[in-house]
Amino acid sequence: MSDTADPRHEIVVARLMRQLDRFAHDLGVDEFDVRLIAQRVIADMPLMPDEDRLARARNWLLVASA
């Protein structure tokens, strides 16, 4: 079973996406890209606190919007 099939993983992705929603909207990044970034951040940082993941995801959103 992959991490992306885990319902808990999807809950964490959805929570991070909600936290990024306004920031991503202001940058003009679409929901598909936000989901990809959220999934990647969570996969790369599984044991980090939400604040650290949020900061990393915001950095990636800035890159994606450029």
Side-chain angles (χ1 to χ4, degrees):
M1 178 195 277
S2 73
D3 287 339
T4 57
D6 183 358
R8 293 171 294 179
H9 177 82
E10 287 303 315
I11 291 168
V12 175
V13 169
R15 185 175 65 224
L16 183 56
M17 287 181 67
R18 276 193 309 276
Q19 292 172 322
L20 293 169
D21 185 53
R22 185 67 183 169
F23 187 72
H25 176 74
D26 289 346
L27 293 174
V29 179
D30 64 33
E31 184 177 346
F32 178 79
D33 290 333
V34 174
R35 176 171 289 281
L36 290 177
I37 289 170
Q39 289 172 335
R40 178 72 184 268
V41 166
I42 291 164
D44 289 351
M45 305 173 73
L47 301 177
M48 298 301 288
D50 283 349
E51 298 83 22
D52 293 344
R53 288 190 259 193
L54 184 59
R56 174 77 53 92
R58 284 182 174 158
N59 286 338
W60 287 5
L61 284 170
L62 286 169
V63 171
S65 70

Coordinates of all heavy atoms in Angstrom, one line a residue:
M1 N 0.8 -1.2 0.0 CA 0.0 0.0 0.0 C 0.9 1.2 0.0 O 1.8 1.4 0.8 CB -0.9 0.0 1.2 CG -1.8 1.2 1.3 SD -2.5 1.5 2.9 CE -3.9 0.4 2.8
S2 N 0.6 2.2 -0.9 CA 1.4 3.4 -1.0 C 0.9 4.4 0.0 O -0.2 4.3 0.5 CB 1.4 4.0 -2.4 OG 0.1 4.5 -2.6
D3 N 1.7 5.4 0.4 CA 1.3 6.4 1.3 C 0.1 7.2 0.8 O -0.7 7.7 1.6 CB 2.5 7.4 1.6 CG 3.6 6.8 2.4 OD1 3.3 5.8 3.1 OD2 4.7 7.3 2.4
T4 N 0.0 7.4 -0.5 CA -1.0 8.2 -1.1 C -2.4 7.5 -1.0 O -3.4 8.2 -1.1 CB -0.8 8.6 -2.5 OG1 -0.6 7.4 -3.3 CG2 0.5 9.5 -2.6
A5 N -2.4 6.2 -0.8 CA -3.7 5.5 -0.6 C -4.2 5.5 0.8 O -5.3 5.1 1.1 CB -3.5 4.0 -1.1
D6 N -3.3 5.9 1.7 CA -3.6 5.9 3.1 C -4.6 7.1 3.4 O -4.3 8.2 3.2 CB -2.3 6.1 3.9 CG -2.5 6.0 5.4 OD1 -3.7 5.9 5.9 OD2 -1.5 6.1 6.1
P7 N -5.8 6.8 4.0 CA -6.7 7.9 4.3 C -6.1 8.9 5.3 O -6.5 10.1 5.1 CB -7.9 7.2 5.0 CG -7.7 5.7 4.7 CD -6.3 5.5 4.4
R8 N -5.3 8.5 6.2 CA -4.6 9.5 7.1 C -3.8 10.5 6.3 O -3.7 11.7 6.6 CB -3.8 8.8 8.1 CG -4.7 8.0 9.1 CD -3.9 7.2 10.0 NE -3.2 6.2 9.2 CZ -2.4 5.2 9.6 NH1 -2.0 5.2 10.8 NH2 -1.8 4.4 8.7
H9 N -3.1 10.0 5.3 CA -2.2 10.8 4.4 C -3.1 11.8 3.7 O -2.7 13.0 3.7 CB -1.5 9.9 3.4 CG -0.7 10.7 2.5 ND1 0.6 11.1 2.8 CD2 -0.9 11.1 1.2 CE1 1.1 11.8 1.7 NE2 0.2 11.8 0.8
E10 N -4.2 11.4 3.2 CA -5.1 12.3 2.5 C -5.7 13.4 3.4 O -5.9 14.6 3.0 CB -6.3 11.6 1.8 CG -5.8 10.8 0.6 CD -5.2 11.7 -0.4 OE1 -5.7 12.8 -0.7 OE2 -4.1 11.3 -1.0
I11 N -5.9 13.1 4.7 CA -6.4 14.1 5.7 C -5.3 15.1 5.9 O -5.6 16.3 6.0 CB -6.8 13.4 7.0 CG1 -8.0 12.6 6.8 CG2 -7.0 14.4 8.1 CD1 -8.4 11.6 7.9
V12 N -4.0 14.7 6.0 CA -2.9 15.6 6.2 C -2.7 16.5 5.0 O -2.5 17.7 5.1 CB -1.6 14.8 6.6 CG1 -0.5 15.8 6.7 CG2 -1.8 14.1 7.9
V13 N -2.9 15.9 3.8 CA -2.7 16.7 2.6 C -3.9 17.7 2.5 O -3.6 18.9 2.2 CB -2.8 15.8 1.3 CG1 -3.0 16.6 0.1 CG2 -1.6 14.9 1.3
A14 N -5.1 17.3 2.8 CA -6.2 18.3 2.8 C -6.0 19.4 3.8 O -6.3 20.6 3.5 CB -7.5 17.5 3.1
R15 N -5.5 19.1 5.0 CA -5.3 20.1 6.0 C -4.2 21.1 5.5 O -4.4 22.3 5.6 CB -4.8 19.5 7.3 CG -4.7 20.5 8.4 CD -4.4 19.8 9.8 NE -3.1 19.2 9.7 CZ -2.8 18.0 10.2 NH1 -3.8 17.3 10.8 NH2 -1.6 17.5 10.1
L16 N -3.1 20.6 4.9 CA -2.1 21.5 4.4 C -2.6 22.4 3.3 O -2.3 23.6 3.2 CB -0.8 20.7 4.0 CG 0.4 21.5 3.5 CD1 0.8 22.5 4.6 CD2 1.5 20.6 3.1
M17 N -3.4 21.7 2.4 CA -4.0 22.5 1.3 C -4.9 23.6 1.8 O -4.8 24.7 1.2 CB -4.8 21.6 0.4 CG -3.9 20.7 -0.5 SD -4.8 19.6 -1.6 CE -5.5 20.8 -2.7
R18 N -5.6 23.4 2.8 CA -6.5 24.5 3.4 C -5.6 25.6 3.9 O -6.0 26.8 3.8 CB -7.4 23.9 4.5 CG -8.6 23.3 4.1 CD -9.6 23.0 5.2 NE -9.1 22.3 6.3 CZ -8.9 21.0 6.5 NH1 -9.3 20.2 5.5 NH2 -8.4 20.5 7.5
Q19 N -4.5 25.2 4.6 CA -3.6 26.3 5.1 C -3.0 27.1 4.0 O -2.6 28.2 4.2 CB -2.6 25.6 6.0 CG -3.1 25.0 7.3 CD -2.1 24.2 8.0 OE1 -1.2 23.5 7.4 NE2 -2.1 24.3 9.3
L20 N -2.8 26.5 2.8 CA -2.1 27.1 1.7 C -3.1 27.8 0.8 O -2.6 28.6 -0.1 CB -1.3 26.1 0.9 CG -0.1 25.5 1.6 CD1 0.4 24.3 0.8 CD2 1.0 26.5 1.8
D21 N -4.4 27.6 1.0 CA -5.4 28.1 0.0 C -5.2 29.5 -0.4 O -5.1 29.9 -1.6 CB -6.8 27.8 0.5 CG -7.8 28.1 -0.5 OD1 -7.7 27.6 -1.6 OD2 -8.8 28.8 -0.1
R22 N -5.3 30.4 0.6 CA -5.3 31.9 0.3 C -4.0 32.3 -0.4 O -3.9 33.1 -1.3 CB -5.6 32.7 1.5 CG -5.7 34.1 1.3 CD -6.9 34.4 0.5 NE -7.0 35.8 0.2 CZ -7.8 36.4 -0.6 NH1 -8.7 35.6 -1.3 NH2 -7.8 37.6 -0.8
F23 N -2.9 31.8 0.2 CA -1.5 32.1 -0.3 C -1.4 31.7 -1.8 O -0.9 32.4 -2.6 CB -0.5 31.4 0.6 CG 0.9 31.8 0.3 CD1 1.4 33.1 0.6 CD2 1.8 30.9 -0.3 CE1 2.7 33.4 0.3 CE2 3.1 31.3 -0.6 CZ 3.6 32.5 -0.3
A24 N -1.8 30.4 -2.1 CA -1.7 29.9 -3.4 C -2.6 30.7 -4.4 O -2.2 31.0 -5.5 CB -2.1 28.4 -3.4
H25 N -3.8 31.1 -3.9 CA -4.7 31.9 -4.7 C -4.1 33.2 -5.1 O -4.2 33.7 -6.2 CB -6.1 32.0 -4.0 CG -7.0 32.9 -4.7 ND1 -7.7 32.5 -5.8 CD2 -7.4 34.2 -4.5 CE1 -8.5 33.5 -6.2 NE2 -8.3 34.5 -5.4
D26 N -3.5 33.9 -4.1 CA -2.9 35.2 -4.3 C -1.8 35.1 -5.3 O -1.5 36.0 -6.0 CB -2.4 35.8 -3.0 CG -3.5 36.2 -2.1 OD1 -4.7 36.3 -2.6 OD2 -3.3 36.5 -0.9
L27 N -1.1 33.9 -5.3 CA 0.0 33.7 -6.3 C -0.4 33.2 -7.6 O 0.3 33.2 -8.6 CB 1.0 32.7 -5.7 CG 1.8 33.1 -4.5 CD1 2.6 31.9 -4.0 CD2 2.7 34.3 -4.8
G28 N -1.7 32.8 -7.7 CA -2.2 32.3 -9.0 C -1.9 30.9 -9.3 O -1.9 30.5 -10.4
V29 N -1.6 30.1 -8.2 CA -1.2 28.7 -8.4 C -2.5 27.9 -8.3 O -3.3 28.1 -7.4 CB -0.2 28.2 -7.3 CG1 0.1 26.8 -7.5 CG2 1.0 29.1 -7.4
D30 N -2.8 27.0 -9.3 CA -4.0 26.2 -9.3 C -4.0 25.1 -8.2 O -3.0 24.7 -7.7 CB -4.3 25.7 -10.7 CG -3.3 24.7 -11.2 OD1 -2.8 23.9 -10.4 OD2 -3.2 24.7 -12.4
E31 N -5.2 24.6 -8.0 CA -5.4 23.6 -6.9 C -4.6 22.3 -7.2 O -4.1 21.7 -6.3 CB -6.9 23.3 -6.8 CG -7.2 22.3 -5.7 CD -8.7 22.0 -5.5 OE1 -9.5 22.8 -6.0 OE2 -9.0 21.1 -4.8
F32 N -4.5 21.9 -8.5 CA -3.8 20.7 -8.8 C -2.3 20.8 -8.4 O -1.8 19.9 -7.8 CB -3.9 20.4 -10.3 CG -3.1 19.2 -10.8 CD1 -3.6 18.0 -10.6 CD2 -1.8 19.4 -11.4 CE1 -2.9 16.8 -11.0 CE2 -1.1 18.3 -11.8 CZ -1.6 17.0 -11.6
D33 N -1.7 22.0 -8.7 CA -0.3 22.2 -8.3 C -0.1 22.3 -6.8 O 0.8 21.8 -6.2 CB 0.3 23.4 -9.0 CG 0.5 23.2 -10.5 OD1 0.6 22.1 -10.9 OD2 0.4 24.2 -11.2
V34 N -1.1 22.9 -6.1 CA -1.1 22.9 -4.6 C -1.1 21.5 -4.1 O -0.4 21.2 -3.1 CB -2.2 23.8 -4.1 CG1 -2.2 23.8 -2.6 CG2 -2.1 25.2 -4.6
R35 N -2.0 20.7 -4.6 CA -2.1 19.3 -4.1 C -0.7 18.5 -4.3 O -0.3 17.9 -3.4 CB -3.2 18.5 -4.8 CG -3.2 17.0 -4.4 CD -4.5 16.3 -4.9 NE -5.6 16.8 -4.2 CZ -6.0 16.4 -3.0 NH1 -5.3 15.5 -2.4 NH2 -7.1 16.8 -2.4
L36 N -0.1 18.7 -5.5 CA 1.2 18.1 -5.8 C 2.2 18.5 -4.8 O 3.0 17.7 -4.3 CB 1.6 18.3 -7.2 CG 0.8 17.6 -8.3 CD1 1.4 18.1 -9.7 CD2 0.9 16.1 -8.2
I37 N 2.3 19.8 -4.5 CA 3.3 20.4 -3.6 C 3.0 19.8 -2.2 O 3.9 19.4 -1.5 CB 3.3 21.9 -3.7 CG1 3.9 22.3 -5.0 CG2 4.0 22.5 -2.5 CD1 3.7 23.8 -5.3
A38 N 1.7 19.9 -1.8 CA 1.4 19.4 -0.4 C 1.8 17.9 -0.3 O 2.4 17.5 0.7 CB -0.1 19.6 -0.2
Q39 N 1.5 17.1 -1.3 CA 1.8 15.7 -1.2 C 3.3 15.5 -1.1 O 3.8 14.7 -0.3 CB 1.3 14.9 -2.4 CG -0.2 14.8 -2.4 CD -0.8 14.2 -3.6 OE1 -0.2 14.3 -4.7 NE2 -2.0 13.6 -3.5
R40 N 4.1 16.2 -1.9 CA 5.5 16.1 -1.9 C 6.1 16.6 -0.6 O 7.0 15.9 -0.1 CB 6.1 16.9 -3.1 CG 7.6 16.9 -3.2 CD 8.1 15.6 -3.7 NE 9.5 15.6 -3.7 CZ 10.3 15.9 -4.7 NH1 9.7 16.2 -5.9 NH2 11.6 15.8 -4.6
V41 N 5.6 17.7 -0.1 CA 6.2 18.2 1.2 C 5.9 17.1 2.3 O 6.8 16.8 3.1 CB 5.5 19.5 1.6 CG1 5.8 19.9 3.0 CG2 6.1 20.6 0.6
I42 N 4.7 16.6 2.4 CA 4.4 15.6 3.4 C 5.2 14.3 3.2 O 5.7 13.8 4.2 CB 2.9 15.3 3.4 CG1 2.2 16.6 3.9 CG2 2.6 14.1 4.3 CD1 0.7 16.6 3.6
A43 N 5.4 13.9 2.0 CA 6.3 12.7 1.8 C 7.7 13.0 2.2 O 8.4 12.1 2.7 CB 6.2 12.3 0.3
D44 N 8.2 14.2 1.9 CA 9.6 14.5 2.2 C 9.8 14.8 3.7 O 10.9 14.7 4.2 CB 10.1 15.7 1.4 CG 10.3 15.4 -0.1 OD1 10.2 14.2 -0.4 OD2 10.5 16.4 -0.8
M45 N 8.8 15.2 4.4 CA 8.9 15.7 5.8 C 7.9 15.0 6.7 O 7.1 15.7 7.3 CB 8.7 17.2 5.8 CG 9.7 18.0 4.9 SD 9.3 19.8 4.9 CE 9.8 20.3 6.5
P46 N 7.8 13.7 6.7 CA 6.7 13.0 7.4 C 6.7 13.3 8.9 O 5.6 13.2 9.5 CB 7.0 11.6 7.1 CG 8.4 11.5 6.8 CD 8.8 12.8 6.2
L47 N 7.8 13.5 9.5 CA 7.8 13.7 11.0 C 8.0 15.1 11.5 O 8.1 15.4 12.7 CB 9.0 12.8 11.6 CG 8.9 11.3 11.2 CD1 10.1 10.6 11.8 CD2 7.6 10.7 11.8
M48 N 7.9 16.1 10.5 CA 8.1 17.5 10.9 C 6.8 18.1 11.3 O 5.7 17.6 10.9 CB 8.7 18.2 9.7 CG 10.0 17.8 9.2 SD 11.3 17.8 10.5 CE 11.6 19.6 10.6
P49 N 6.8 19.1 12.1 CA 5.6 19.8 12.6 C 4.9 20.5 11.4 O 5.6 20.8 10.4 CB 6.1 20.8 13.6 CG 7.5 20.6 13.8 CD 8.0 19.6 12.8
D50 N 3.7 20.8 11.5 CA 2.9 21.4 10.4 C 3.5 22.8 10.0 O 3.5 23.1 8.9 CB 1.4 21.6 10.8 CG 0.6 20.4 10.7 OD1 1.1 19.4 10.1 OD2 -0.5 20.4 11.2
E51 N 4.0 23.5 11.0 CA 4.6 24.8 10.7 C 5.8 24.7 9.8 O 5.9 25.5 8.9 CB 5.0 25.5 12.0 CG 3.9 25.8 13.0 CD 3.6 24.6 13.9 OE1 4.4 23.7 14.0 OE2 2.4 24.6 14.3
D52 N 6.6 23.7 10.0 CA 7.8 23.5 9.1 C 7.3 23.1 7.7 O 7.9 23.6 6.7 CB 8.7 22.5 9.7 CG 9.4 22.9 11.0 OD1 9.4 24.2 11.3 OD2 9.9 22.1 11.7
R53 N 6.3 22.2 7.6 CA 5.8 21.8 6.3 C 5.2 23.0 5.6 O 5.3 23.1 4.4 CB 4.8 20.7 6.5 CG 5.5 19.4 6.9 CD 4.5 18.2 6.8 NE 4.1 17.9 8.1 CZ 3.4 16.8 8.4 NH1 3.1 16.0 7.5 NH2 3.0 16.6 9.6
L54 N 4.4 23.8 6.3 CA 3.8 24.9 5.7 C 4.8 25.9 5.2 O 4.6 26.4 4.0 CB 2.9 25.6 6.8 CG 2.1 26.8 6.3 CD1 1.1 26.4 5.2 CD2 1.3 27.4 7.5
A55 N 5.9 26.2 5.9 CA 6.9 27.1 5.4 C 7.6 26.5 4.1 O 7.8 27.2 3.2 CB 8.0 27.3 6.5
R56 N 7.9 25.2 4.1 CA 8.5 24.6 2.9 C 7.5 24.7 1.7 O 7.9 25.0 0.6 CB 8.8 23.1 3.2 CG 9.3 22.3 2.1 CD 10.8 22.6 1.7 NE 11.7 22.5 2.8 CZ 12.4 21.4 3.1 NH1 12.2 20.3 2.4 NH2 13.2 21.4 4.1
A57 N 6.2 24.4 2.0 CA 5.2 24.4 0.9 C 5.1 25.8 0.3 O 5.0 26.0 -0.9 CB 3.9 23.9 1.4
R58 N 5.1 26.8 1.2 CA 5.0 28.2 0.7 C 6.2 28.6 -0.2 O 6.0 29.2 -1.2 CB 4.9 29.2 1.9 CG 3.6 29.2 2.5 CD 3.5 30.2 3.6 NE 2.1 30.2 4.2 CZ 1.8 30.7 5.4 NH1 2.8 31.1 6.2 NH2 0.6 30.7 5.7
N59 N 7.4 28.1 0.2 CA 8.6 28.3 -0.6 C 8.4 27.7 -2.0 O 8.7 28.3 -3.0 CB 9.8 27.8 0.0 CG 10.3 28.7 1.2 OD1 9.9 29.8 1.3 ND2 11.0 28.1 2.1
W60 N 7.9 26.5 -2.0 CA 7.7 25.8 -3.3 C 6.6 26.5 -4.1 O 6.7 26.5 -5.4 CB 7.4 24.3 -3.1 CG 8.5 23.5 -2.6 CD1 9.8 23.9 -2.4 CD2 8.6 22.1 -2.4 NE1 10.6 22.9 -2.0 CE2 9.9 21.8 -2.0 CE3 7.6 21.1 -2.6 CZ2 10.3 20.4 -1.8 CZ3 8.0 19.8 -2.3 CH2 9.3 19.5 -1.9
L61 N 5.6 27.0 -3.5 CA 4.5 27.7 -4.2 C 5.1 29.0 -4.8 O 4.7 29.3 -6.0 CB 3.4 28.1 -3.3 CG 2.4 27.0 -2.9 CD1 1.5 27.4 -1.8 CD2 1.7 26.5 -4.1
L62 N 6.0 29.7 -4.1 CA 6.6 30.8 -4.7 C 7.4 30.5 -6.0 O 7.4 31.2 -7.0 CB 7.6 31.5 -3.7 CG 6.9 32.3 -2.6 CD1 7.9 32.6 -1.5 CD2 6.2 33.5 -3.1
V63 N 8.1 29.3 -5.9 CA 8.9 28.9 -7.1 C 7.9 28.5 -8.2 O 8.1 28.9 -9.4 CB 9.7 27.7 -6.7 CG1 10.3 27.0 -8.0 CG2 10.8 28.1 -5.8
A64 N 6.8 27.8 -7.9 CA 5.8 27.4 -8.9 C 5.1 28.6 -9.6 O 4.7 28.5 -10.7 CB 4.8 26.5 -8.3
S65 N 5.0 29.7 -8.8 CA 4.3 30.9 -9.4 C 5.2 31.7 -10.3 O 4.7 32.6 -11.0 CB 3.8 31.7 -8.3 OG 4.8 32.4 -7.6
A66 N 6.5 31.5 -10.2 CA 7.5 32.3 -11.0 C 7.4 32.0 -12.5 O 7.0 31.0 -13.0 CB 8.9 32.1 -10.5

